[in-house]
């Protein structure tokens, strides 16, 4: 049983899977700014990672209103089970009977087992904290159930591969619930994804009956997870050289997809409120089981006060270098950002508009292999004098050097660099993914005009067309920048976003007691 909520240790508990405070991405940056902007609320952090040895140094100094940081690592071999009392690690096998009954139903009827998943989760909360996973895995009842499931559904697959996949799926879930007693009591739980974070958040609001549960998603977690699974090499390999994507989804891969769809539905159904950053992703949330009545759209926001200094610094640079033509990229250098497309566009742009330069700012440590490939492509395209990789950089430092921001990514989210560019009055050219069209062209009730250009994915020649058009026309460049700034002022201020989240916290938590 989870702790009592009689004396919550925090007003808000943030459930963070692989992000703040160890990551410097847009989600983590938004979390830090939100905590810092609400100094009268106490925040507890519940961080879910993979392995402790892979954990980085904290990327942020925790604000004073963070009361505690709890960490669990779901793929550690030396997990918290080693800290269980010795007598509790191996309970009698009979304690698993209710759990196995629920698991049997979920495994055999994945498409129609929502209520049973709730009951299974409740059994896990009762059982996992007092038991080592290996003891459950070796239980004769578990072995019998998994063998029956194999013979019914997966008899064409290798039994060894089947067991490996099922253990890899169940063990982190067991460890998540094993750590449930360490979840800080709070008046409201806020998860920034579905997945493991949404799963434990759903249980927190059930067992802390008076607590609210909020899910907000930068990009739709389940869509991202499905795409990763469809391209994963470890779940199952092609047979006779035939790709699973040519013959349909292989059974073991589908097992993982079904699991994450089920957990997403459980999280959505348990949430009191669900937030998306733009309407298209809100529609995706509804497709995966979220009640549209519980979904609201709250975009990311930009600090116009902070960007004002950037805007002035950029204007001064342009006064000194009025003919400057610099295209900038700001973001992580990885395959989802499709930097290679930008390099191809750079070659076309430089040929058509000599003197154009490209600055690529961002960290490469997440995918060094991709970064190496990008540098090789730069050499192959003879762009060494045109394109510079300048490494990680803060937006405030690098935006004054940009005349146009170019983003060539392929993931469904709201790119925060676009908001920074708007604040600095910089036009934007971006691929038609996520919220880019909504940002650049405006929502249906927005008649400000275009703050840049939107181009198709994987069409470098069209991106080059847009860059040449804006860079060649100072009047167009200025108009696009002015429209972007006006749109940020009207729709995307950090102050307004923080106020909306504060209202949500108040509504979901009841009256929140602030610091004395």
């Amino acid at each position: 049983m989870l702790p009592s909520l009689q004396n919550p240790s925090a007003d808000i508990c943030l459930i963070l899977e692989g992000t703040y405070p160890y990551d410097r991405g847009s989600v983590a940056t938004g979390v830090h700014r939100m905590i810092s902007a609400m100094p009268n609320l106490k925040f507890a952090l519940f961080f879910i990672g993979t392995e402790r040895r892979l954990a980085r140094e904290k990327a942020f100094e925790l604000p004073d209103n963070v009361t505690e940081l709890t960490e669990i690592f779901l793929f550690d071999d030396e997990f918290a089970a080693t800290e269980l009392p010795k007598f509790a690690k191996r309970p009698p096998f009979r304690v698993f009977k209710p759990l196995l009954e629920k698991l049997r139903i979920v495994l055999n009827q994945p498409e129609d087992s929502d209520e049973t998943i709730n009951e299974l989760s409740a059994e896990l909360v009762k059982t996992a904290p007092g038991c080592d996973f290996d003891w459950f895995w070796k239980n004769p009842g578990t072995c019998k159930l998994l063998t029956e499931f194999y013979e019914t559904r997966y008899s064409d697959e290798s039994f060894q591969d089947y067991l490996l996949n099922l253990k890899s799926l169940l063990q982190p879930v067991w460890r998540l619930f094993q750590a449930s007693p360490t979840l800080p009591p709070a008046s409201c739980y806020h998860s920034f994804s579905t997945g493991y974070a949404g799963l434990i958040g759903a249980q927190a609001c059930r067992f802390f009956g008076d607590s609210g549960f909020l899910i907000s998603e930068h990009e739709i977690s389940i869509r991202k997870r499905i795409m990763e699974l469809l391209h994963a090499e470890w779940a199952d390999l092609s047979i006779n050289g035939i790709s699973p994507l040519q013959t349909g989804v292989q059974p073991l891969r589908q097992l993982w997809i079904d699991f994450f769809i089920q957990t997403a539905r459980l999280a959505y159904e348990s949430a009191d409120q669900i937030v998306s950053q733009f309407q298209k992703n809100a529609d995706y949330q509804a497709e995966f089981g979220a009640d549209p009545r519980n979904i609201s759209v709250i975009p990311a926001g930009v600090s116009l006060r902070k960007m004002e200094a950037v805007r002035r610094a950029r204007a001064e640079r342009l006064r000194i270098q009025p003919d400057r033509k610099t295209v900038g990229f700001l973001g992580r250098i990885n395959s989802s950002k499709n930097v290679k497309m930008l390099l191809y566009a750079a070659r076309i742009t430089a040929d058509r508009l000599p003197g154009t330069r490209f600055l690529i700012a961002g960290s490469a440590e997440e995918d060094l292999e991709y970064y190496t490939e990008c540098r090789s492509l730069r050499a192959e395209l003879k762009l060494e004098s045109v394109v510079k990789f300048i490494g990680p950089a803060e937006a405030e430092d690098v935006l004054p050097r940009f005349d146009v921001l170019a983003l060539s990514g392929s993931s469904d989210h709201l790119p925060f660099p676009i908001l920074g560019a708007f604040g600095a009055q910089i036009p934007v050219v971006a691929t038609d993914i996520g919220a880019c069209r909504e940002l650049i062209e405006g929502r249906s009730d927005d008649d400000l005009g275009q703050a840049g250009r939107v181009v198709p994915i994987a069409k470098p020649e069209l991106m080059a067309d847009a860059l040449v058009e804006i860079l060649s026309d100072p009047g167009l460049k200025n108009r696009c920048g002015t429209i972007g700034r006006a749109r940020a002022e009207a729709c995307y201020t950090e102050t307004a976003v923080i106020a909306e989240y504060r209202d949500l916290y108040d509504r979901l938590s009841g009256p929140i007691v602030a610091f004395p």
Side-chain angles (χ1 to χ4, degrees):
M1 181 66 69
L2 294 176
S4 167
L5 191 59
Q6 292 178 352
N7 296 297
S9 60
D11 300 311
I12 312 297
C13 176
L14 304 182
I15 305 175
L16 304 148
E17 187 175 334
T19 177
Y20 188 81
Y22 299 101
D23 181 68
R24 271 210 171 270
S26 52
V27 174
T29 300
V31 170
H32 185 74
R33 289 175 176 172
M34 184 173 67
I35 295 172
S36 301
M38 301 183 188
N40 61 326
L41 296 186
K42 295 181 291 183
F43 286 86
L45 309 181
F46 190 79
F47 175 82
I48 302 171
T50 53
E51 299 178 65
R52 190 180 298 274
R53 66 179 180 83
L54 299 178
R56 308 170 185 171
E57 295 293 320
K58 290 186 181 67
F60 297 88
E61 182 177 349
L62 298 182
D64 291 340
N65 55 328
V66 172
T67 60
E68 60 184 297
L69 169 61
T70 303
E71 302 166 311
I72 63 168
F73 298 89
L74 300 183
F75 295 89
D76 261 355
D77 289 333
E78 300 297 327
F79 188 67
T82 57
E83 300 171 10
L84 293 170
K86 290 183 179 180
F87 69 86
K89 288 186 181 181
R90 297 190 172 188
F93 285 145
R94 64 177 180 273
V95 305
F96 299 129
K97 184 176 180 180
L99 178 64
L100 290 171
E101 289 174 351
K102 305 303 179 186
L103 183 59
R104 182 187 302 275
I105 296 172
V106 170
L107 289 175
N108 287 300
Q109 298 174 316
E111 67 286 344
D112 189 29
S113 57
D114 289 353
E115 186 55 39
T116 309
I117 291 175
N118 291 335
E119 296 169 357
L120 174 62
S121 299
E123 290 296 333
L124 280 167
V125 168
K126 291 190 291 185
T127 307
C131 176
D132 182 73
F133 174 78
D134 285 340
W135 188 241
F136 164 76
W137 185 252
K138 296 172 183 176
N139 165 36
T142 306
C143 296
K144 180 181 178 183
L145 171 59
L146 299 185
T147 301
E148 292 173 356
F149 187 47
Y150 171 78
E151 292 171 349
T152 303
R153 295 271 186 125
Y154 299 98
S155 56
D156 291 338
E157 308 296 320
S158 158
F159 186 66
Q160 182 177 1
D161 289 347
Y162 160 79
L163 284 180
L164 175 63
N165 274 269
L166 208 55
K167 185 174 183 179
S168 298
L169 188 154
L170 293 175
Q171 190 169 41
V173 175
W174 188 277
R175 289 172 170 174
L176 181 70
F177 282 93
Q178 201 170 59
S180 59
T182 68
L183 193 67
S187 298
C188 178
Y189 290 86
H190 181 178
S191 170
F192 289 80
S193 61
T194 55
Y196 299 114
L199 186 57
I200 197 65
Q203 296 315 304
C205 73
R206 290 176 189 278
F207 285 88
F208 294 136
D210 296 330
S211 298
F213 180 35
L214 167 66
I215 296 175
S216 65
E217 295 186 279
H218 176 64
E219 57 185 318
I220 304 307
S221 314
I222 181 58
R223 277 175 55 84
K224 180 180 180 183
R225 189 80 71 170
I226 288 173
M227 292 305 297
E228 290 172 347
L229 289 168
L230 287 175
H231 294 90
E233 297 180 358
W234 51 265
D236 48 57
L237 301 176
S238 60
I239 300 173
N240 299 323
I242 301 174
S243 167
L245 298 181
Q246 295 174 304
T247 59
V249 180
Q250 291 292 334
L252 293 178
R253 204 176 296 244
Q254 188 64 52
L255 174 70
W256 283 88
I257 291 172
D258 288 343
F259 165 74
F260 282 110
I261 289 175
Q262 288 173 322
T263 56
R265 288 172 60 179
L266 173 62
Y268 286 147
E269 290 171 2
S270 302
D272 298 292
Q273 188 69 44
I274 301 159
V275 172
S276 177
Q277 290 192 331
F278 55 102
Q279 187 57 49
K280 185 190 293 186
N281 272 4
D283 295 339
Y284 287 141
Q285 289 171 327
E287 286 181 16
F288 283 103
D291 186 340
R293 295 170 297 181
N294 291 341
I295 302 174
S296 58
V297 174
I298 302 177
V302 60
S303 171
L304 295 177
R305 178 186 57 79
K306 185 180 293 185
M307 284 297 117
E308 180 58 27
V310 178
R311 189 177 70 87
R312 290 198 301 268
R314 177 174 175 271
E316 178 61 19
R317 281 177 176 257
L318 287 175
R319 187 186 66 79
I320 298 170
Q321 299 175 291
D323 298 325
R324 185 187 71 177
K325 299 178 181 65
T326 303
V327 178
F329 168 92
L330 180 61
R332 301 183 189 194
I333 301 175
N334 58 37
S335 58
S336 72
K337 306 300 183 186
N338 203 1
V339 176
K340 292 180 183 179
M341 172 183 163
L342 183 59
L343 293 174
Y344 284 114
R347 180 68 276 167
I348 300 169
T349 304
D351 289 341
R352 291 174 56 186
L353 198 62
T356 304
R357 297 291 179 263
F358 285 72
L359 297 179
I360 298 179
S363 171
E365 66 178 27
E366 182 181 287
D367 194 341
L368 290 174
E369 181 179 355
Y370 184 80
Y371 175 61
T372 301
E373 292 172 0
C374 288
R375 293 185 67 91
S376 297
L377 180 60
R378 180 182 67 165
E380 180 184 331
L381 295 174
K382 297 180 171 55
L383 288 170
E384 290 92 337
S385 63
V386 175
V387 176
K388 290 186 177 180
F389 292 93
I390 62 176
E394 295 294 335
E396 294 83 354
D397 297 328
V398 75
L399 285 176
R401 303 169 66 181
F402 294 177
D403 297 302
V404 179
L405 175 74
L407 297 180
S408 49
S410 57
S411 56
D412 287 332
H413 62 89
L414 188 155
F416 190 77
I418 292 182
L419 297 183
F422 283 180
Q425 214 161 317
I426 300 170
V428 178
V429 174
T431 44
D432 192 5
I433 53 96
C436 290
R437 184 174 295 278
E438 185 175 299
L439 287 167
I440 293 171
E441 297 182 355
R443 300 191 287 250
S444 58
D445 58 348
D446 178 337
D447 59 359
L448 290 170
Q450 296 189 33
R453 295 291 183 263
V454 181
V455 300
I457 298 173
K459 294 288 184 180
E461 66 279 8
L462 297 184
M463 175 165 275
D465 287 346
L467 292 171
V468 170
E469 178 191 12
I470 293 174
L471 290 170
S472 301
D473 186 340
L476 174 62
K477 181 174 66 174
N478 291 336
R479 284 196 303 276
C480 289
T482 300
I483 290 169
R485 174 74 185 196
R487 183 162 292 135
E489 292 172 351
C491 306
Y492 299 103
T493 67
E494 185 176 83
T495 301
V497 170
I498 296 298
E500 288 198 67
Y501 274 105
R502 176 59 202 244
D503 288 345
L504 274 179
Y505 287 157
D506 286 343
R507 180 162 62 82
L508 297 180
S509 307
I512 294 179
V513 179
F515 282 133

